[in-house]
Amino acid sequence: EIYKSIDLFWISSHFRFVLSLLSAVGQTVIYPFTSTCAVRGSTVTLACTFTPPKSVDQRGREVPLNIVRVLWYQSHWYQLCQLTKPSAYDSDSTNNDPRYQYLGDMKTNCTLQIRDVQQGDSATFSFRMGVNHRGGHFTNGTGVAVRVTDGIRMGIISSSDDNKFRKKETVTLLCASVCTFHHLEVTWFKDGCILSETGSSLQLSSLTAEDSGNYTCALKTNMQTLSEPYSLQVEAEAGWCSSLKEAFSLFSGATLQTAICPSASVQCSHGAHHLCGISSTQR
């Protein structure tokens, strides 16, 4: 027990000393958020920025430092010193799991993206920078806690409060959940038919009556997340008789006495005879 207490005291003191030394040379790791949740099968992005160390003091001599290695790993207490478990991403490794994509660099960006999130990703992920001197390595053990959930259905959010639209209007549909709002790869459906769009947002511009229907979405890798249908209605175009009626009103002396739509029978008089005057009964 005595030796254990001494060891813990030494480790704690040594750890505090290392942190104070590192803070003196100015390197930092910042996570904009320290917790997030994701639906199984989705993609989650762990934003991260860092300030690389410039130098380290070695017996009164300033030694310049360069970033030579970056890692992301699932945090555990003892990993801060030993890194005993395989990392999620290691710039020195050629066997990284392709689900873990490093979107950063070796300058200031340390963002990690996890694709096709699985239950095993429910953990805290931390970033570590390695330099060309053992005294300059740095880890922010706070990390980002990822909570993976299952059984959540996606939902569709519309850019409009109304689901009824007029011709040529534009609407954007967003496929999201109460948990995941990151870069999603989804499958969109219209009346049960797969659409080509795979992003989390679906923009429908210059709407026509053909765009009317029931829209649903689901994570591309988890069809059990299929959303409830969103019913979109686009007003049908006015009949060609109504259009002719508006056009005829521009002609001097031309009046359209009756217009029956959508029937093929149209009655016109005066100046309008040359445009119509043919009914289905005269063909």
Side-chain angles (χ1 to χ4, degrees):
E1 291 295 328
I2 295 177
Y3 290 112
K4 183 182 294 185
S5 299
I6 293 175
D7 289 342
L8 288 175
F9 175 79
W10 184 89
I11 291 173
S12 177
S13 301
H14 180 70
F15 188 61
R16 285 197 298 269
F17 170 75
V18 171
L19 286 182
S20 63
L21 173 65
L22 292 176
S23 62
V25 295
Q27 61 262 54
T28 58
V29 176
I30 299 175
Y31 309 110
F33 56 88
T34 56
S35 64
T36 186
C37 66
V39 178
R40 183 177 64 84
S42 67
T43 296
V44 63
T45 301
L46 309 184
C48 172
T49 59
F50 71 97
T51 302
K54 295 181 179 180
S55 62
V56 65
D57 183 87
Q58 185 175 7
R59 297 180 179 179
R61 183 171 62 91
E62 190 172 297
V63 179
L65 298 177
N66 297 311
I67 300 293
V68 296
R69 185 183 183 187
V70 292
L71 303 94
W72 274 90
Y73 60 91
Q74 292 189 7
S75 305
H76 294 284
W77 224 103
Y78 55 87
Q79 284 184 293
L80 293 177
C81 296
Q82 298 184 12
L83 290 177
T84 55
K85 287 191 175 181
S87 57
Y89 174 83
D90 183 348
S91 60
D92 281 357
S93 175
T94 58
N95 296 317
N96 290 310
D97 187 332
R99 293 193 307 111
Y100 300 104
Q101 297 289 322
Y102 186 65
L103 305 182
D105 49 40
M106 293 206 179
K107 297 179 179 179
T108 58
N109 185 0
C110 47
T111 300
L112 179 73
Q113 187 176 83
I114 307 175
R115 301 178 180 178
D116 189 18
V117 172
Q118 301 299 315
Q119 286 295 341
D121 296 318
S122 285
T124 298
F125 290 80
S126 295
F127 172 75
R128 177 179 175 84
M129 67 178 84
V131 297
N132 57 336
H133 189 285
R134 63 179 300 176
H137 303 318
F138 184 70
T139 300
N140 184 332
T142 302
V144 182
V146 178
R147 178 172 59 87
V148 181
T149 62
D150 207 348
I152 294 180
R153 300 184 70 173
M154 305 303 289
I156 295 180
I157 303 172
S158 173
S159 60
S160 173
D161 293 333
D162 195 357
N163 67 336
K164 295 181 180 179
F165 302 89
R166 294 182 179 180
K167 177 186 174 184
K168 295 186 178 180
E169 286 188 331
T170 298
V171 62
T172 300
L173 304 181
L174 176 66
C175 185
S177 77
V178 295
C179 183
T180 299
F181 291 94
H182 303 281
H183 306 279
L184 300 178
E185 291 187 358
V186 305
T187 302
W188 285 94
F189 301 88
K190 176 179 177 288
D191 296 328
C193 298
I194 297 178
L195 301 179
S196 59
E197 179 60 51
T198 59
S200 58
S201 62
L202 176 67
Q203 185 176 58
L204 303 172
S205 56
S206 298
L207 290 170
T208 67
E210 294 181 356
D211 293 313
S212 297
N214 293 318
Y215 290 80
T216 53
C217 68
L219 291 175
K220 194 173 183 179
T221 56
N222 188 357
M223 295 306 297
Q224 294 181 351
T225 61
L226 186 67
S227 69
E228 292 291 333
Y230 174 85
S231 178
L232 187 147
Q233 301 176 31
V234 182
E235 293 181 359
E237 300 179 23
W240 63 274
C241 293
S242 299
S243 299
L244 283 177
K245 182 176 181 180
E246 295 177 2
F248 294 158
S249 65
L250 300 177
F251 289 93
S252 176
T255 59
L256 185 64
Q257 295 179 345
T258 59
I260 305 174
C261 295
S263 168
S265 175
V266 180
Q267 298 179 12
C268 304
S269 63
H270 305 299
H273 283 170
H274 68 287
L275 294 175
C276 53
I278 299 176
S279 67
S280 60
T281 57
Q282 294 175 324
R283 294 179 181 175

